[in-house]
Amino acid sequence: MSVPPSPSKDFIREIIDEDLSSGKHESTVTRFPPEPNGYLHIGHAKSICLNFGLAEEYGGRCHLRFDDTNPAKEDVEYVDSIKEDIQWLGFDWGDHLYYASDYFDKLYEWALVLIENGKAYVDDQTFEEIRMGRGDLNTPGTDSPFRDRSPEENAEIFKAMKNGEFDDGSKVLRAKVDMAHPNLNMRDPVLYRIARAHHHRTGDAWCIYPMYDFTHGQSDALEYVTHSLCTLEFENHRPLYEWFLENLPVPSYPRQIEFSRLNLNYTVMSKRKLLQLVEENHVEGWDDPRMPTISGLRRRGYPPEAIRNFCKTIGVTKFESTNDMALLESGVREVLNQNSLRFMAVLNPIKIVVTNYPEGQVEEIESPANPENPEAGTRKFCFSREIYIERDDFMEDPPKKYFRLSPGNEVRLRNAYFIKCEEVIKDDQGEVIELRCTYDTDTPRGQNPSDGRKVKGVVHWVSASHSIDATVRLYDRLFSVESPDSGENSFLDHINPDSVVELPNAKLEHNLADVANGETVQFERLGYFCVDKDSTPENRVFNRTVGLRDSWAKAKDQP
RNA sequence: AACUCCAUGGUGUAACGGUAGCACAUCACAUUUUGGUUGUGAUUGUCAAGGUUCGAAUCCUUGUGGGGUUGCCA
């Protein structure tokens, strides 16, 4: 088994290297074990990239296993979306699709093994009594009055539990470990509960369901998983994970290793909060482009490659860090700068009449489709007497260092001529509604004027009669503070009121009519935009994926 | 307060007893028909105190700070 040379490895890869070189394992088997009770988010992407990435690097395999032991919360809708998201991210579980529910029979059999060995018992106490008996952080627990039932009696009652002879919640099966253990997870943890809930796969075959702790390690063992990677909150479950492996006739002995979960600033990541955003209509759904869900990022236009690169960059440690959204966005720009085709689009148009350009004349201009990639070829678009430019690209009374159009000033029209603003036309309210400009015939694409004069500003534009109408949605961070979670107020109080701004009157270069749904392109000088699923042939809808880096925006905000 | 894990620039992440490096962010300058890209440079860091050692971010001790755990959720 060859290991790719790498200058530095995270602690998990170091463990795997050791296990391989010591001969403990011959190959590496990992697994990604989501519970199908919600949509995947970028935090899951970290785990997916780690587990599937490891399998690729080490020539091993990674299983997709749905941890479906709590039917009350789970649904096939989630199973499907999870599969779709993993594939979109670029990973493949091949034939290795499993469900914890595949092991219900084996787990039941193993529960009987524990009972037989005097290591599990049926407890008739109420939920409340069990909770009280557990003690707390500083107080040891006390033994249940049912703790010393005989193996025979326990087996009989447990079978009756399975056969549906008791009410939901009336009994549980518990492991017999140590009620005084300093680790609360070891104080006779519950193994099975009675719950008459319809399971998305096993239907109504079962009325008892195993708990996470009694399921996870054994499932790993049954699949011959070598390294079972999970997040830090399962650290104190590890002794229990190992207790089951030691007390059951498992076919293999996986190792649980914990790493820190992904945190991102300016967003929230917990399933509960994401659900709340959806249910209370603060966003338009799980795939709202402002959501940190995989489906949201996809709809936003983030390339999967950028998400994979991001996960690689942030690394794997046990330190609970908060990553900067700017790092993710920078990775998105990096990929998109290389790959995306360029177009001109005017989001907030103002009309210009080029007074010295002949009426009715149309000129075709050819320009690189992507200057970063000559193989992308060229595109053609039209210039004419009436064009639109961005309202932001004109100021009647500009501040210093403003390179764009203003009265008497000259700028370059991107890919076309120099124009000079000769006249400003306003309506009754004093609002600028049109500009009259003249152009320099000496300055078409690729040419500077023969008198050698230069111009500082370049402005994008579209020909009025050749443009198409569109709606453009400008997305920004969902929260206006770095840690919406912290502090005394609800995270909802920090929702950014401008997280989406809809511009209904955008004018696009006509080539943009052909861009496929879901594809991300660059609007020159503005940013990257992606065709939204709401788009129709009559009205194109684009989402802003991320803006270009904008040093002017920063400069002008400074006092 | 019990158990447990963690601590390196603003944010992340390397350095495995021997030069504290990289990315993002920030700020300059250069290039540029995208105020983009690209290039060059600058700024900023080992939680604290002791100890071991020729030498400590790294090993030891203590302290400080932070996270997790008291579901019949995962």
Side-chain angles (χ1 to χ4, degrees), chain A residues 3 11-25 58 227 255:
Chain A
V3 172
F11 74 103
I12 292 176
R13 275 168 245 257
E14 283 181 357
I15 290 171
I16 293 175
D17 284 354
E18 276 169 34
D19 289 347
L20 257 20
S21 62
S22 72
K24 181 178 176 187
H25 297 299
Y58 287 91
H227 303 270
R255 172 172 175 185

Side-chain angles (χ1 to χ4, degrees), chain A residues 515-530:
Chain A
V515 176
N517 220 302
E519 192 174 333
T520 308
V521 300
Q522 185 188 106
F523 290 177
E524 288 191 292
R525 298 211 311 131
L526 295 175
Y528 299 96
F529 295 76
C530 150

Side-chain angles (χ1 to χ4, degrees), chain A residues 150-218:
Chain A
S150 70
E152 294 71 24
E153 189 188 357
N154 279 317
E156 195 180 321
I157 308 174
F158 184 54
K159 286 174 186 169
M161 276 170 67
K162 177 188 185 251
N163 291 335
E165 295 176 27
F166 306 111
D167 291 340
D168 285 12
S170 62
K171 288 176 168 39
V172 291
L173 183 72
R174 301 179 75 178
K176 194 191 273 193
V177 189
D178 177 2
M179 286 307 290
H181 199 107
N183 181 340
L184 288 290
N185 292 122
M186 300 298 271
R187 318 243 260 229
D188 289 10
V190 172
L191 269 32
Y192 272 90
R193 73 281 217 186
I194 306 173
R196 285 168 179 80
H198 188 81
H199 189 282
H200 68 104
R201 300 198 82 232
T202 61
D204 299 313
W206 294 83
C207 66
I208 58 169
Y209 290 97
M211 300 291 291
Y212 164 85
D213 284 306
F214 190 65
T215 306
H216 205 93
Q218 288 90 306

Side-chain angles (χ1 to χ4, degrees), chain A residues 118-394:
Chain A
K119 288 179 174 158
Y121 62 98
V122 174
D123 196 337
D124 296 359
Q125 291 185 107
T126 63
F127 185 96
E128 191 64 14
E129 286 166 338
I130 289 177
R131 191 169 66 81
M132 297 303 287
R134 188 157 29 232
D136 62 27
L137 266 15
N138 308 302
T139 324
T142 49
D143 288 359
S144 163
F146 301 95
R147 199 170 197 259
D148 292 319
R149 291 217 254 229
S150 70
E152 294 71 24
E153 189 188 357
N154 279 317
E156 195 180 321
I157 308 174
F158 184 54
K159 286 174 186 169
M161 276 170 67
K162 177 188 185 251
N163 291 335
E165 295 176 27
F166 306 111
D167 291 340
D168 285 12
S170 62
K171 288 176 168 39
V172 291
L173 183 72
R174 301 179 75 178
K176 194 191 273 193
V177 189
D178 177 2
M179 286 307 290
H181 199 107
N183 181 340
L184 288 290
N185 292 122
M186 300 298 271
R187 318 243 260 229
D188 289 10
V190 172
L191 269 32
Y192 272 90
R193 73 281 217 186
I194 306 173
R196 285 168 179 80
H198 188 81
H199 189 282
H200 68 104
R201 300 198 82 232
T202 61
D204 299 313
W206 294 83
C207 66
I208 58 169
Y209 290 97
M211 300 291 291
Y212 164 85
D213 284 306
F214 190 65
T215 306
H216 205 93
Q218 288 90 306
S219 302
D220 287 340
L222 287 166
E223 294 175 18
Y224 295 86
V225 166
T226 55
H227 303 270
S228 178
L229 314 179
C230 62
T231 45
L232 248 26
E233 68 267 26
F234 292 101
E235 247 164 356
N236 346 3
H237 290 245
R238 185 169 4 108
L240 185 56
Y241 181 102
E242 289 170 352
W243 190 89
F244 290 125
L245 296 179
E246 281 157 12
N247 286 284
L248 257 11
V250 291
S252 77
Y253 203 105
R255 172 172 175 185
Q256 173 179 310
I257 305 170
E258 312 85 17
F259 62 95
S260 70
R261 61 165 68 240
L262 170 69
N263 297 301
L264 262 188
N265 58 12
Y266 297 105
T267 190
V268 294
M269 211 67 89
S270 88
K271 248 177 209 177
R272 204 203 92 229
K273 289 180 176 130
L274 295 177
L275 181 68
Q276 198 178 346
L277 288 169
V278 173
E279 287 186 338
E280 296 178 7
N281 296 311
H282 297 107
V283 296
E284 283 174 29
W286 286 99
D287 67 345
D288 186 293
R290 294 165 290 178
M291 291 283 273
T293 50
I294 304 296
S295 51
L297 299 177
R298 176 167 60 229
R299 190 171 169 194
R300 178 80 171 252
Y302 280 26
E305 185 189 358
I307 296 172
R308 281 184 260 121
N309 292 347
F310 174 71
C311 290
K312 196 174 291 182
T313 307
I314 60 173
V316 180
T317 67
K318 292 173 84 91
F319 176 61
E320 296 236 29
S321 54
T322 301
N323 288 278
D324 200 337
M325 188 70 94
L327 180 61
L328 211 207
E329 291 180 342
S330 135
V332 170
R333 288 193 193 99
E334 187 183 358
V335 171
L336 259 15
N337 179 48
Q338 286 308 312
N339 302 337
S340 66
L341 300 178
R342 316 290 144 124
F343 299 93
M344 290 200 285
V346 177
L347 272 29
N348 204 350
I350 182 170
K351 187 181 265 187
I352 288 183
V353 177
V354 185
T355 53
N356 60 341
Y357 197 84
E359 255 177 90
Q361 182 170 320
V362 175
E363 186 174 344
E364 196 168 63
I365 294 172
E366 187 168 10
S367 195
N370 178 1
E372 301 296 320
N373 178 18
E375 287 177 18
T378 60
R379 72 187 200 278
K380 290 177 181 166
F381 48 91
C382 298
F383 181 77
S384 65
R385 183 177 150 97
E386 295 195 356
I387 61 173
Y388 294 108
I389 68 160
E390 211 68 64
R391 219 158 243 286
D392 280 354
D393 285 337
F394 172 79

Side-chain angles (χ1 to χ4, degrees), chain A residues 425-474:
Chain A
I425 298 177
K426 300 179 183 176
D427 64 12
D428 299 341
Q429 275 74 249
E431 182 91 359
V432 178
I433 53 170
E434 188 180 305
L435 303 171
R436 298 282 166 93
C437 298
T438 52
Y439 84 109
D440 182 344
T441 57
D442 198 22
T443 58
R445 158 129 204 114
Q447 283 180 38
N448 285 317
S450 38
D451 63 9
R453 91 185 177 282
K454 290 197 169 166
V455 111
K456 196 93 177 188
V458 177
V459 162
H460 61 274
W461 55 276
V462 294
S463 167
S465 55
H466 301 89
S467 65
I468 56 174
D469 295 332
T471 297
V472 174
R473 297 176 184 150
L474 263 24

